[in-house]
Amino acid sequence: MIFVTGGAGFIGSNFVVDWLHREGAAIDEPVLVLDALTYAGNLANLASVRAHPGLQFARQDICDSAAVLALLRRHRPRAVVHFAAESHVDRSILGPGEFVRTNIEGTFSLLEAARAYHGERTGSERDAFRFLHVSTDEVYGSLEEHEPAFTETTRYAPNSPYAASKAASDHLVRAYFHTYGLPVVTTNCSNNYGPFQFPEKLIPLMIANALQGRSLPVYGDGQNVRDWLYVGDHCRGIRRVLEAGRPGETYNIGGRNEVRNIDVVRRICAMLDELRPDGGGSYARHITYIKDRPGHDRRYAIDCTKIERELGWKPAESFETGLRKTIAWYLDHADWVAEVTSGKYRAWVALQYGDAASAFQG
Ligand code: NAD
Ligand code: DAU
């Protein structure tokens, strides 16, 4: 068995579905998803594998170390793949406390449980165990236009409470390898996009708003750059690191695909114009520049030479093919969007976008 924390969130659920459907999947190796089901966790994300004999679910806060240790002892997994986190930068600016709790204290609690569990194992079971920590490129801070992309040795320089909390968790994970010999591997990935991403993040927010004839809010001058990777490519990279990554190492994962935010939004509008034309004209007419995000990182770029060279991983999707798949998925899953954006989501939009939010309320 493997444990997947945060397996009902965006990347975690894609990982679980891909894991259960992957070629050569062992039907006798189930996945136990541990997820607290916050606003970002949704069991509907796992609907396609709900009846799969390999899926088990525990509603579990990772901060409860004793409960996690009891699950580890009961199920004896060969690996913990750790996705669970508070993941949205804007939310971390408005309320950093929850990020400190889940991302730092939660990772600490999980590490403590894993350390105790690993210490009780012997022989090949002990040797085979892995703790894979899923992290982000945001720990490296912001790049100027002509600076080289982040490598695994780039100095940590987190700028948002989210990035700082992830950086702290990375350091704890590293320390558990060096101090206690826990066999950890860490991945630092760039911006993901694809099915089941909560519509608070740039790409699904723009698709959802465009389809509802609402404003498309671009922060600042829209020239900030992100390195976009299709979620399926990220999940394949994580599987590869779990399979062959060296304990104690970190691996950067990225798309070699830098795009300015305004160009992302324009491409979404152009694809929607083609796939779901709006009688009123191009969706681009809804683009609105709004107040910048405080401390907004200018540019992220990942140098993924290490994982390419050592583990033979490469992204399969281009931004063009990945974005097309993503938009098609959102067009086909209006019910999912409606479900996850009901209730508290409207309160979030009002808080985050202030005056500009009136354009969201239809
Ligand atoms: P998400 O917000 O969509 O999902 C997070 C999941 O964690 C949810 O299912 C939520 O219910 C669960 N969770 C939150 N707090 C919990 C707790 N205390 N105990 C148990 N479960 C809890 O996040 P995501 O975008 O899927 O990101 C997953 C991981 O990948 C995160 O660690 C994030 O830092 C990292 N990451 C994300 C991106 C990206 O572009 N989204 C890129 C690189 C790395
Ligand atoms: O780089 C990896 C990180 O990517 C992950 O670790 C985070 O979990 C994930 O949320 C993401 O962080 P970003 O802050 O880069 O993603 P977000 O989708 O929030 O924003 C992408 C860019 O778009 C960023 O420059 C801010 C901008 N933006 C975002 C929103 C929500 C806008 O211009 N308008 C918006 O309304």
Side-chain angles (χ1 to χ4, degrees):
M1 167 175 274
I2 65 164
F3 277 19
V4 176
T5 74
F10 162 48
I11 307 175
S13 64
N14 275 280
F15 179 84
V16 168
V17 171
D18 290 0
W19 178 271
L20 293 171
H21 288 156
R22 77 196 187 285
E23 211 177 306
I27 47 165
D28 58 349
E29 186 178 57
V31 177
L32 176 66
V33 170
L34 292 83
D35 198 298
L37 297 182
T38 68
Y39 80 93
N42 193 334
L43 283 178
N45 299 2
L46 295 168
S48 69
V49 288
R50 190 165 287 161
H52 194 292
L55 179 70
Q56 297 183 33
F57 179 81
R59 186 167 192 175
Q60 181 61 60
D61 188 331
I62 55 163
C63 295
D64 186 344
S65 199
V68 172
L69 179 56
L71 287 170
L72 285 165
R73 285 178 173 147
R74 185 173 334 138
H75 295 282
R76 295 173 61 158
R78 71 169 172 97
V80 173
V81 185
H82 176 35
F83 293 95
E86 287 293 332
S87 68
H88 190 35
V89 172
D90 293 322
R91 286 184 193 257
S92 83
I93 294 167
L94 288 173
E98 208 42 47
F99 288 72
V100 170
R101 195 186 89 84
T102 286
N103 300 359
I104 306 178
E105 292 173 24
T107 300
F108 165 66
S109 301
L110 198 61
L111 283 165
E112 278 290 272
R115 174 163 81 96
Y117 167 71
H118 182 244
E120 293 163 4
R121 310 269 73 78
T122 54
S124 59
E125 199 184 348
R126 181 182 168 85
D127 295 343
F129 183 74
R130 293 289 180 274
F131 184 102
L132 193 154
H133 175 59
V134 179
S135 193
T136 171
D137 59 0
E138 299 202 12
V139 298
Y140 300 122
S142 183
L143 293 167
E144 297 297 332
E145 201 177 334
H146 299 296
E147 281 187 292
F150 303 129
T151 70
E152 288 78 1
T153 56
T154 300
R155 185 174 70 92
Y156 271 36
N159 292 320
S160 70
Y162 162 70
S165 68
K166 291 297 290 188
S169 69
D170 292 10
H171 292 323
L172 282 169
V173 169
R174 176 189 160 92
Y176 273 63
F177 172 75
H178 287 281
T179 305
Y180 304 115
L182 188 69
V184 307
V185 263
T186 295
T187 56
N188 292 89
C189 188
S190 62
N191 285 61
N192 283 216
Y193 66 101
F196 297 111
Q197 186 167 32
F198 195 80
E200 63 187 353
K201 309 279 167 60
L202 181 71
I203 289 180
L205 178 80
M206 294 298 159
I207 299 170
N209 280 13
L211 291 174
Q212 291 169 45
R214 293 177 177 171
S215 154
L216 306 178
V218 174
Y219 296 160
D221 62 6
Q223 301 296 311
N224 303 66
V225 171
R226 296 293 183 266
D227 176 354
W228 294 97
L229 181 70
Y230 188 70
V231 64
D233 281 327
H234 184 191
C235 292
R236 201 165 37 79
I238 292 172
R239 291 204 302 277
R240 189 70 194 119
V241 171
L242 188 59
E243 193 174 51
R246 286 177 291 137
E249 293 291 317
T250 66
Y251 295 88
N252 280 357
I253 307 181
R256 293 194 190 278
N257 182 42
E258 293 181 50
V259 192
R260 294 180 309 162
N261 290 342
I262 186 62
D263 294 332
V264 171
V265 178
R266 286 190 184 128
R267 279 196 216 188
I268 292 170
C269 291
M271 278 190 196
L272 283 173
D273 288 342
E274 184 196 321
L275 298 170
R276 182 69 60 87
D278 171 7
S282 171
Y283 289 98
R285 72 188 187 281
H286 296 299
I287 293 175
T288 314
Y289 289 91
I290 66 166
K291 191 162 67 70
D292 209 355
R293 171 187 280 176
H296 196 176
D297 284 338
R298 195 63 175 168
R299 173 176 163 244
Y300 302 145
I302 278 277
D303 180 341
C304 50
T305 307
K306 180 174 173 180
I307 188 172
E308 286 176 352
R309 200 181 46 224
E310 286 190 16
L311 304 181
W313 173 90
K314 264 193 184 359
E317 300 289 347
S318 67
F319 194 50
E320 173 71 23
T321 60
L323 192 59
R324 202 164 271 279
K325 276 188 183 177
T326 303
I327 290 178
W329 188 87
Y330 280 91
L331 286 172
D332 286 348
H333 291 81
D335 291 355
W336 181 89
V337 174
E339 191 188 316
V340 302
T341 56
S342 61
K344 282 185 182 159
Y345 177 79
R346 292 175 74 83
W348 158 252
V349 167
L351 192 64
Q352 166 62 14
Y353 295 91
D355 292 343
S358 55
F360 285 62
Q361 311 301 342

